[in-house]
Amino acid sequence: MLKAAESRRTPQSWDRDREEASGTEETEAQKTDMQIQFNDQKHEFNKRPANIGRRSLSRSISQSSTDSYSSACSGSSEDESSPRDKPQATSKGLSDFCIKNIQQAEFGRREITIAEQEMPALMILTKRAGGEKPLAGAKVMGCTHITPQTAVLMETLSRLGAQCRWAACNIFSTQNAVAAALAEGGISVFAWKGESEDDFWWCIDRCVGAESWQPNMILDDGGDLTYWIQKKYPSIFKKLKGIVEESVTGIYRLYQLSKAGRLCVPAMNVNDSVTKQKFDNLYCCKESVLDGLRRTTDVMFGGKQVVVCGYGEVGKGCCAALKALGTVVNVTEADPICALQACMDGFRVIQLGEVVRQVDMVITCTGNKNVVGREHMDRMKNGCIVCNMGHCSTEIDLVSLRTAELRWERVRPQVDHVIWPDGRRIVLLAEGRLLNLSCSTVPSFVLSITATTQALALIELYSAPEGRYKQDVYLLPKKMDEYVASLHLPTFDAHLTELTDEQGKYLGISKHGPYKPNYYR
């Protein structure tokens, strides 16, 4: 149609257009100059966030989301130097923190506000507490991912009476703007995105080693904080009232301490609670694994051959998401029960070595070590994507890749090409660390379930009468699991059916619950 319209135009109209164009060249140049100036002004505005009104709300959310994206997975525009020796202070004069840039606090506050809207149970918990402070006197030291969702948890703990100090459990997952907002709000945070291994342990030590502040509760994710205090500050470790741990790696370490007789405080195993296993591990990973893969690699999923190592709740979520987009999913599994579940869900259960030459992606979800070894990576096809959805970075044998004959090439933040002498390469994401929190973001609502469980576990351990909990690892009471679930049901306008007295008696339970035995998982 465009060509037909042009053909109907006369030579006179072309001449007239040329005359009009020549007469407007100066005007167009002025417009261009004005546009360039306007774009520069917009760029400067983005650098200096100001208070915004209702008219610019959509732009505010868009900018905040973009900042979240860059915090979560790019970070390339950030100053890559360590802030350890850079003095910083909040607007109120607090300097007991170490983050990347306190000037990002306003953006971080917006991210936290958005997350709060998807975390209803913590808001309800605070409201139901009313004027009571069940954590009054608690000094909670945390080592978790520092994201908008965990920020909502920290601020909830503060509203419930606790004092908090925090470090990051992962060198890539900290969102710098959120860390800045927490520091500006009065919480001592020691974390930034892209820490070195030395920075990581320095931050934990600074978090613990305050002369005027000693913790009496620990909230851990991975066991690193517990390990550091137990090893370097044994006197503090012995005085703790309790530990709350949410990862399979950290729970494994706690059970080791208990077995060796070196766990001298009670600990709560949140990882094996129903609200963690069946919601965070399953649904969070189901929604976030694709996000992390696509943001880092722009990969097309349809028709790809994938191996998911492990068919626990994390593996189940990853497999379901990948299958829904048309990938051909293979599963490796050591547990015959999980292997049978994978078979009956329609997945082929194999050993990694059987298909490693053909697959396009390998995703680890086991919580174990050296699941993907050098002998596997030597045989992978060119361009195979290798990543980890388990908490710990030991699932992929990275040590074997740090050799002279292999060349590492950083192509994007958290994306490395590891190149063999023949030119073949694999695509390694987040240096083998947790993909979703290192390279993308996660659903706030699912994390609300875990965060509420953690808060209640802290309250339970802190307020329990002396003698209720011994020096051992405990599972969350089933009644508490059910309470956490009930707090989230109003979001879906869900209405529970109430048992009659006769029905409760028939089942041998109270009609008000708990509805499952404590061993139910």
Side-chain angles (χ1 to χ4, degrees):
M1 290 181 66
L2 179 60
K3 288 183 178 178
E6 288 178 350
S7 68
R8 291 196 296 270
R9 299 180 68 187
T10 64
Q12 290 82 0
S13 67
W14 287 108
D15 292 339
R16 189 165 55 251
D17 288 348
R18 280 195 295 269
E19 290 174 4
E20 291 174 358
S22 63
T24 58
E25 277 183 339
E26 185 175 345
T27 304
E28 290 298 322
Q30 291 173 348
K31 287 182 178 179
T32 303
D33 288 341
M34 289 174 65
Q35 186 176 19
I36 291 172
Q37 288 180 354
F38 179 68
N39 288 337
D40 286 344
Q41 289 169 357
K42 281 177 67 178
H43 182 64
E44 289 299 313
F45 176 77
N46 289 343
K47 286 183 179 178
R48 300 189 299 272
N51 292 331
I52 56 170
R54 186 174 179 179
R55 290 170 56 192
S56 60
L57 178 61
S58 61
R59 187 205 166 278
S60 165
I61 294 174
S62 174
Q63 176 64 48
S64 188
S65 300
T66 303
D67 187 68
S68 172
Y69 176 88
S70 63
S71 292
C73 55
S74 72
S76 57
S77 61
E78 297 267 11
D79 177 11
E80 294 184 1
S81 62
S82 171
R84 282 166 56 165
D85 299 320
K86 183 172 70 174
Q88 296 187 72
T90 68
S91 60
K92 297 177 181 177
L94 174 71
S95 60
D96 186 23
F97 64 91
C98 187
I99 60 171
K100 181 64 77 171
N101 184 0
I102 192 64
Q103 301 303 319
Q104 294 181 324
E106 185 178 345
F107 282 131
R109 178 51 53 191
R110 295 176 191 173
E111 293 288 349
I112 296 169
T113 301
I114 291 171
E116 283 179 346
Q117 297 170 16
E118 279 284 293
M119 303 183 76
L122 288 176
M123 303 299 101
I124 295 171
L125 202 62
T126 305
K127 189 177 294 185
R128 288 187 180 179
E132 295 181 15
K133 303 287 184 182
L135 290 175
K139 295 184 176 181
V140 181
M141 187 164 289
C143 185
T144 67
H145 303 283
I146 296 182
T147 63
Q149 297 80 21
T150 53
V152 176
L153 170 60
M154 292 180 221
E155 294 186 342
T156 299
L157 297 178
S158 296
R159 294 186 195 106
L160 295 175
Q163 298 177 38
C164 297
R165 289 174 71 87
W166 232 262
C169 69
N170 185 300
I171 64 174
F172 292 133
S173 65
T174 297
Q175 294 188 25
N176 289 331
V178 172
L182 288 168
E184 182 64 36
I187 295 177
S188 296
V189 176
F190 300 86
W192 58 92
K193 188 177 183 69
E195 298 170 4
S196 66
E197 287 289 335
D198 182 60
D199 290 334
F200 174 79
W201 293 110
W202 180 87
C203 286
I204 288 179
D205 193 62
R206 280 294 303 273
C207 194
V208 179
E211 294 181 3
S212 59
W213 201 95
Q214 288 192 353
N216 52 26
M217 300 292 294
I218 287 178
L219 179 58
D220 214 350
D221 185 356
D224 291 317
L225 178 59
T226 302
Y227 162 80
W228 191 255
I229 294 179
Q230 190 258 343
K231 176 186 175 183
K232 193 169 180 182
Y233 300 94
S235 59
I236 294 178
F237 190 71
K238 292 176 182 177
K239 294 177 182 178
L240 293 173
K241 292 200 69 172
I243 300 168
V244 173
E245 172 60 56
E246 72 154 312
S247 78
V248 63
T249 307
I251 292 302
Y252 176 69
R253 291 175 175 177
L254 285 174
Y255 280 124
Q256 284 183 317
L257 282 175
S258 178
K259 188 176 180 180
R262 291 186 288 130
L263 182 64
C264 50
V265 295
M268 194 69 79
N269 175 359
V270 167
N271 180 72
D272 290 319
S273 65
V274 176
T275 45
K276 175 69 164 60
Q277 285 285 328
K278 293 191 179 297
F279 295 94
D280 190 339
N281 291 11
L282 177 63
Y283 295 108
C284 179
C285 295
K286 182 179 179 180
E287 296 209 9
S288 61
V289 62
L290 303 178
D291 190 20
L293 285 166
R294 184 159 281 151
R295 288 196 193 197
T296 49
T297 65
D298 304 316
V299 66
M300 173 75 182
F301 292 102
K304 290 292 193 298
Q305 295 272 347
V306 182
V307 173
V308 175
C309 301
Y311 201 68
E313 298 303 325
V314 173
K316 287 180 176 70
C318 292
C319 287
L322 291 162
K323 182 180 180 180
L325 288 187
T327 63
V328 180
V329 182
N330 303 277
V331 171
T332 70
E333 183 54 73
D335 183 338
I337 296 174
C338 292
L340 183 58
Q341 286 181 306
C343 291
M344 296 185 72
D345 286 338
F347 302 111
R348 184 180 171 215
V349 177
I350 46 86
Q351 292 182 348
L352 181 57
E354 297 173 26
V355 296
V356 73
R357 291 185 185 275
Q358 293 83 43
V359 295
D360 301 289
M361 301 180 215
V362 177
I363 303 170
T364 57
C365 311
T366 68
N368 209 332
K369 65 180 292 187
N370 296 342
V371 176
V372 178
R374 177 64 185 268
E375 68 276 13
H376 301 118
M377 291 180 279
D378 280 340
R379 299 165 56 203
M380 288 178 179
K381 67 189 290 187
N382 185 48
C384 181
I385 298 169
V386 183
C387 61
N388 171 42
M389 280 291 289
H391 174 84
C392 201
S393 60
T394 58
E395 300 204 29
I396 302 165
D397 184 11
L398 296 184
V399 175
S400 68
L401 298 179
R402 305 282 187 184
T403 56
E405 76 273 15
L406 300 184
R407 181 165 59 91
W408 286 58
E409 181 180 85
R410 175 58 57 92
V411 293
R412 285 180 176 178
Q414 278 76 66
V415 182
D416 290 293
H417 284 179
V418 183
I419 306 170
W420 268 251
D422 62 0
R424 183 181 56 85
R425 65 188 63 199
I426 64 171
V427 182
L428 179 66
L429 305 183
E431 296 182 21
R433 296 178 183 273
L434 187 56
L435 170 71
N436 55 358
L437 281 157
S438 296
C439 302
S440 64
T441 56
V442 292
S444 297
F445 185 82
V446 176
L447 291 191
S448 173
I449 300 171
T450 300
T452 306
T453 307
Q454 290 171 308
L456 289 173
L458 284 168
I459 293 171
E460 173 67 16
L461 281 178
Y462 182 72
S463 59
E466 191 172 348
R468 175 182 292 178
Y469 295 106
K470 310 295 182 184
Q471 298 170 351
D472 205 350
V473 183
Y474 292 86
L475 293 170
L476 208 65
K478 191 62 64 241
K479 187 70 175 175
M480 203 172 292
D481 263 333
E482 293 174 359
Y483 177 65
V484 172
S486 70
L487 291 177
H488 290 84
L489 289 175
T491 302
F492 302 99
D493 194 25
H495 304 276
L496 290 172
T497 299
E498 185 174 333
L499 297 180
T500 64
D501 292 331
E502 184 180 357
Q503 288 172 324
K505 186 177 180 180
Y506 178 78
L507 294 174
I509 61 174
S510 166
K511 70 175 186 178
H512 302 296
Y515 300 97
K516 295 286 192 297
N518 275 334
Y519 56 78
Y520 171 77
R521 290 292 173 265

